[in-house]
Amino acid sequence: MKLQDLKVIVTGAGRGMGAYFAKELAAAGAKVAAGDVDEAGLAELPAGIARRRLDVSSEADCVDFTRWASAELGGLNALVNNAGIIRDGLLVKRDRESGKLTTLPMDDWNQVLAVNLTGATVMTRELCKTMVEANTRPGVVVNISSVSRHGNRGQSNYVAAKAALAANTVTWAREFAAYGIRVGAIAPGMIETPMTRGMHQKARDALVAAVPVGRIGVPEDIWLAVKFAIECDYFNGRCVDVDGGLVM
Ligand code: NAP
């Protein structure tokens, strides 16, 4: 699909990679509806991008947002499922000094699944329902997974969500093929955004040092992959790692 033909929803578009994608899409001529819980971030997007508060962990919000976006853009044919959060922690941890045991709080498990997996699932359902109802084709959904999908210490919740999102990329590519909708996923490695800026410095430095290309990724690296997933009509049902070789 051509970028200028898109009527596209970008979730988590208030900052980080989502804001970058929304700006690039709009600059290329796409009609963009940006959603985020961060309304201050949304307010900073360039004029011309439609925006509204969206909490993807709320089913009602996903339904209302998609309806609004369709009315605002004159229909829909694309979605970038980018909203995501981390709540890292070991499943069981013994403090070295006090010997005290802590466990991963269920709230941290539930929140990460609710945003990264359930949110993306409900948004995909609503986008595809809107397209099928209106008989719109072709269409494309791009899921933002993570290389953590392969397994990562201290990220049980995030790994579960991002691995399931990559697996359901196949499910949805199969389910929606009959309606002319492709579904692909990009799994970024370590990318410079507010999410990674919040990481423990030592852990961050160690991860960056392990990247074979010798640097942290930037949103443009992932945008190039998202652009490919949108533009290449033969890309379908796959999740591509874009991580400078971190997990190869
Ligand atoms: P980010 O800087 O934290 O931006 C994520 C945006 O999503 C924020 O504006 C955040 O709002 C918003 N958000 C959080 N919960 C939401 C919800 N329930 N509904 C709607 N929006 C919500 O993250 P990023 O690094 O750009 O990450 C973008 C995507 O890439 C995420 O799916 C992330 O998991 C994935 N990813 C990132 C990396 C990386 O190294 N950065 C690596 C692999 C995968 P608040 O600021 O208010 O929370």
Side-chain angles (χ1 to χ4, degrees):
M1 292 179 75
K2 291 195 167 64
L3 297 182
Q4 65 263 33
D5 294 337
L6 295 190
K7 295 171 180 181
V8 57
I9 291 173
V10 182
T11 69
R15 69 176 201 187
M17 283 190 264
Y20 194 93
F21 302 156
K23 286 179 204 163
E24 290 294 323
L25 283 160
K31 290 184 179 164
V32 181
D36 202 301
V37 285
D38 176 3
E39 291 180 88
L42 288 179
E44 285 173 24
L45 291 172
I49 295 179
R51 71 212 63 191
R52 180 167 149 156
R53 189 182 192 279
L54 164 67
D55 178 354
V56 296
S57 68
S58 152
E59 182 183 14
D61 253 33
C62 294
V63 171
D64 288 350
F65 184 93
T66 308
R67 252 193 232 130
W68 165 82
S70 182
E72 198 72 20
L73 307 188
L76 289 170
N77 57 13
L79 164 68
V80 182
N81 273 318
N82 166 80
I85 58 167
I86 46 174
R87 296 285 182 273
D88 292 352
L90 296 170
L91 212 48
V92 179
K93 182 180 178 187
R94 191 197 331 247
D95 187 83
R96 275 191 208 140
E97 280 160 25
S98 67
K100 194 178 157 221
L101 288 188
T102 50
T103 56
L104 184 75
M106 283 316 293
D107 257 10
D108 289 358
W109 172 268
N110 289 330
Q111 276 183 39
V112 168
L113 270 288
V115 175
N116 297 278
L117 178 59
T118 312
T121 305
V122 179
M123 286 304 298
T124 301
R125 183 191 77 188
E126 291 307 306
L127 181 276
C128 293
K129 177 173 165 261
T130 305
M131 287 188 62
V132 172
E133 259 172 6
N135 214 6
T136 306
R137 59 165 68 205
V140 63
V141 176
V142 182
N143 294 321
I144 305 300
S145 177
S146 163
V147 287
S148 290
R149 73 193 178 104
H150 300 293
N152 196 21
R153 189 172 180 273
Q155 288 198 309
S156 298
N157 44 12
Y158 191 70
V159 167
K162 293 299 192 183
L165 190 56
N168 270 337
T169 297
V170 178
T171 307
W172 301 332
R174 290 196 185 283
E175 289 189 9
F176 295 117
Y179 303 107
I181 304 170
R182 288 182 297 109
V183 185
I186 305 302
M190 176 85 172
I191 310 300
E192 175 81 52
T193 69
M195 182 184 272
T196 46
R197 268 173 235 138
M199 275 176 77
H200 194 273
Q201 191 64 35
K202 226 171 120 186
R204 193 173 180 274
D205 291 348
L207 256 175
V208 175
V211 179
V213 301
R215 66 167 174 86
I216 190 167
V218 291
E220 186 190 3
D221 295 317
I222 306 307
W223 162 245
L224 291 174
V226 169
K227 185 172 178 287
F228 165 77
I230 292 168
E231 290 184 327
C232 179
D233 292 331
Y234 210 58
F235 180 68
N236 195 25
R238 288 283 175 237
C239 181
V240 177
D241 297 330
V242 181
D243 64 345
L246 180 64
V247 299
M248 66 186 174

